[in-house]
Amino acid sequence: MLATSPAFKQNATEALGNPSLQKALHRTRPQSSGKRAAAVAALPEFERLRDIGRDIKDHTLAHLDFYLETYADNVERAGGHVHWCSSADDARDAVLQICRRADARTVTKGKSMVSEELAINEHLEKHGITPIETDLGEYILQIRGEPPSHIIGPAFHLNREDWEESFRKVHTDLPADRVFHERRDIMTEARVLLREKFLAADVGITGANFLIAESGSSVIVTNEGNGDLTQTLPRVHIVLASIEKVVPTLEDATSLLRLLARSATGQDFSVYTTFSTGGRRPGDLDGPEEYHVVLVDNGRSGMVGTEFHDMLRCIRCAACMNHCPVYFAVGGHSYGWVYPGPMGSVLTPALIGIDKAANLPNASTFCGKCEGVCPVKIPLPKLMRHWREREFERHLTPAIARANLGLWAWFARRPALYRLATRAAAVGLGLMGGKRGRFTKLPFAGSWTDGRDLPAPEGDTFFARYAHAQRKAKP
Amino acid sequence: MSRQAILGAIRRGLRRGELPEDQKLGLRARLTAHPRHLIPARSQVPRPAQIALFIRNVEKEFGTVARVTDAAGIPPAVAEYLAAQNLPTAFAMAPHPELRSIPWDSRPLLHPREGRAEPTDLVSVQHGYAGIAETGTLMLPSSPERPTTLNLLCDTAIVVLRVSNVCGPYEDAWDRLRAEPGFMPRNVMLVTGPSRSADIESTLELGAHGPRRVHVILLDDDPAAIG
Ligand code: SF4
């Protein structure tokens, strides 16, 4: 996927003025945090499980080479094949070769963010193979030629009208005057059409939420069941998985699964959690004959041992974006690449380069909500700060921002002056803010106040208030 | 060679070479011991409460449950369920000895056909390997006697499960499965309720691609579990 991350600011401005997107964001925002909160409240052990989840991932990453080799050996033992791929190109080619050997004409696909990252669909199409997305959200995005805007609810930015319009446009075999009474009618139309595709496909491609070293299994988690149909019906199953998905044992995966659905959708457990190990066994009446794992690095090994190492713990639950005020203001497409929200702001620069994604780590208010809900306790704000430092060091920060930072530093080194200036500003802005207590417009900050109001300071500076409280506390 | 390149890059990041043999031994011992982590207390309750929790959780996730006291009660339970849902009486059934020994002839209107599910089948009857009370989840491992398509292709999935096979947490079900010959099966599905999607306007709808209905027939074969 071509990154438009450098245009984040422009993307964000457009998103703020897009009524259809804003409607979808307003609809989704209250649910996305409320459901998780209810699921977490119902499991008293949740906080302790987060520590366990973090520790399992840390243990695995500290021995990643060992667990990957163990995993790969066990896949082969179960009759599967592992294709190690350093780069996106390697992975695309590995997938294409497997499809070609299988004489594939159509390929069904379960939801996979790694597939988006590698742009598998474009590659297959270029070589005459038709990929068909089967996750309902991914299906409509494929029809509309749009990228996903969320890592688990890829099409949440669309409204019902968009679904109906797109279905009418491409499902031309159906009566043009049919009526969609409910959302369910839209879903049923897709169910019937995709059922034929599942049955006709030669190859099924899924992602993996986890890889299990002890058994050589890949795990997918879905609610629709499309991933299972994708990997059960065609003759060949290809698993696309990045290297950090491996965990040692079924017990390790189970502990992480207790965190995943609750953090993601607020379910106690997803509807289908499926463990696949090799191809069809003697006597089996169904299942794929061939089982391939395309094991993708694509920049991750370069994060090991760096200040971004912790990001490799991510289990792609989307809790961080579901709780992010920036994400819910501008939506997922503004981030300009596969992974949006706080996790994307850390991961995208690592995978495509900070020079192409310097805006993303700045798209944060540092409210800390993301770290507070992350099931594996990734310190996302700290990691974004690391990127800001790298951006500054590499002189990628715009001149104006550098100049302002320099000005701030000059004052900060002169405490008396600093206090005087901030006090004057606080009191002045407080008076100017008047009764309303906020600014809808400010000189030199037009692009900031276009999207939101600036609250006016209420009273004195922090320093002054702190000193005052200290004096009062003394006997 | 990509394998060596990837492993080499990881080792450079970790500032070490390949792990020494003694450390590998330690990691292999962890794999063999596969230690359990914290297990939520909610399913660590006496047997009758565990079964009640299982049923409650299946129903919470939009599944349904019928309890029967012996195998002879299964055909009437299936027949009643199908009639109540206005469904046909023909179904695809797992070629499992336990299902085969059910006296289906007692209800001549029922038409079981042993095998995998075909696209035209509307109803399936699967053999439940284990139930997990913690979240009302069914464990359905593949085998020649338990084809995977029966979990997926039909609009209505019926699962026959012995009460003695209902466990508390997932870990208990894994332990049972580990003891089976041929572990790990090709495919292990953990199924929690019928298929669903919230992809259209973030609103939950049942019956996306998999079964629209999941019905569990619980066979009371465990006196300790009847509270
Ligand atoms: S960073 Fe944490 S909260 Fe965000 S997707 Fe990854 S695991 Fe979930």
Side-chain angles (χ1 to χ4, degrees), chain A residues 356-369:
Chain A
K356 293 199 198 71
N359 274 317
L360 301 184
N362 291 303
S364 166
T365 63
F366 280 175
C367 71
K369 195 79 186 141

Side-chain angles (χ1 to χ4, degrees), chain A residues 421-443 445 449 454-461:
Chain A
T422 50
R423 198 159 192 183
V427 174
L429 281 171
L431 287 175
M432 278 160 62
K435 274 212 198 74
R436 287 187 65 220
R438 57 201 158 87
F439 297 97
T440 47
K441 275 211 162 24
L442 271 183
T449 48
L454 179 79
E458 291 176 15
D460 224 325
T461 62

Side-chain angles (χ1 to χ4, degrees), chain A residues 27-28 31 42-43 45 48-49 52 56 59 61-70 72-73 84-86 90 134-137 154-156 158-160 163 183-184 186-188 191 194-195 198-199 214-215 217 223-226 228-229 231-233 243 248-252 254-255 258 262 267-288 297 301 304-305, chain B residues 1-7 9-19 23-25 27-28 30-31 34-42 57 60-61 95 115-117 119 134-135 137 142-155 169-171 174-175 178 182-203 205-212 214:
Chain A
R27 174 176 60 233
T28 312
Q31 314 179 10
L43 187 68
E45 294 92 346
R48 276 190 290 156
L49 284 169
I52 290 167
I56 291 171
H59 168 83
L61 291 170
H63 308 101
L64 187 58
D65 51 338
F66 172 84
Y67 284 121
L68 282 174
E69 292 206 278
T70 308
D73 290 349
W84 298 73
C85 299
S86 289
D90 294 353
T134 64
D135 171 90
L136 211 50
F156 89 96
L158 297 178
N159 298 302
R160 207 171 131 176
W163 285 82
R183 293 189 191 86
R184 179 183 306 248
I186 302 173
M187 188 165 83
T188 304
R191 176 185 169 105
L194 282 168
R195 191 52 77 91
F198 282 124
L199 293 163
E214 69 159 325
S215 57
S217 311
N223 278 326
E224 298 184 3
N226 64 307
D228 287 281
L229 289 163
Q231 65 184 18
T232 302
L233 297 176
I243 54 172
T249 66
L250 288 166
E251 281 75 3
D252 295 320
T254 300
S255 291
R258 284 196 175 96
R262 290 183 173 91
Q267 287 168 284
D268 288 346
F269 217 58
S270 300
V271 178
Y272 302 106
T273 302
T274 305
F275 300 69
S276 300
T277 314
R280 203 183 272 215
R281 309 262 169 97
D284 275 356
L285 300 177
D286 49 24
D297 180 344
S301 62
V304 173
Chain B
M1 285 289 306
S2 279
R3 177 174 176 138
Q4 285 322 314
I6 294 171
L7 295 172
I10 292 170
R11 287 172 187 146
R12 274 196 301 284
L14 295 170
R15 288 171 201 85
R16 59 164 172 77
E18 190 175 340
L19 282 173
Q23 283 197 40
K24 283 191 187 173
L25 269 176
L27 295 176
R28 283 197 201 101
R30 188 188 185 280
L31 289 172
H34 52 85
R36 292 177 169 201
H37 304 285
L38 171 75
I39 292 180
R42 60 155 70 164
N57 279 331
K60 177 179 164 224
E61 296 301 338
R116 54 163 283 171
E134 186 175 338
T135 47
T137 300
S142 71
S143 73
E145 292 82 38
R146 211 182 289 104
T148 307
T149 39
L150 293 173
N151 314 334
L152 287 169
L153 271 183
C154 303
D155 266 20
Y170 314 100
E171 282 84 348
W174 287 129
D175 278 355
R178 283 179 191 280
F183 173 83
M184 168 87 174
R186 179 189 72 72
N187 173 290
V188 182
M189 284 185 70
L190 303 181
V191 177
T192 312
S195 156
R196 66 198 67 174
S197 174
D199 273 348
I200 306 175
E201 297 198 324
S202 311
T203 308
E205 295 286 347
L206 294 184
H209 286 296
R212 298 171 207 255
V214 172

Side-chain angles (χ1 to χ4, degrees), chain A residues 118-132:
Chain A
L118 303 174
I120 291 289
N121 289 3
E122 289 79 346
H123 194 65
L124 291 178
E125 275 165 2
K126 208 166 70 195
H127 293 89
I129 298 169
T130 309
I132 300 151

Side-chain angles (χ1 to χ4, degrees), chain A residues 174-210:
Chain A
L174 297 170
D177 57 353
R178 65 193 184 283
V179 183
F180 297 100
H181 294 286
E182 308 169 48
R183 293 189 191 86
R184 179 183 306 248
D185 300 334
I186 302 173
M187 188 165 83
T188 304
E189 183 165 310
R191 176 185 169 105
V192 172
L193 282 162
L194 282 168
R195 191 52 77 91
E196 290 164 23
K197 311 283 187 198
F198 282 124
L199 293 163
D202 308 292
V203 173
I205 300 180
T206 67
N209 291 81
F210 301 102

Side-chain angles (χ1 to χ4, degrees), chain A residues 377-431:
Chain A
K377 298 200 165 176
I378 298 173
L380 292 154
K382 186 174 102 185
L383 302 188
M384 282 185 248
R385 226 159 24 234
H386 285 318
W387 278 126
R388 290 188 188 185
E389 282 157 22
R390 282 212 186 176
E391 181 203 4
F392 193 84
E393 280 161 14
R394 293 187 47 191
H395 291 266
L396 296 168
T397 314
I400 275 252
R402 292 186 83 86
N404 284 333
L405 274 173
L407 190 67
W408 179 84
W410 188 87
F411 272 104
R413 279 194 296 269
R414 291 161 179 81
L417 203 57
Y418 185 87
R419 277 174 215 178
L420 194 69
T422 50
R423 198 159 192 183
V427 174
L429 281 171
L431 287 175

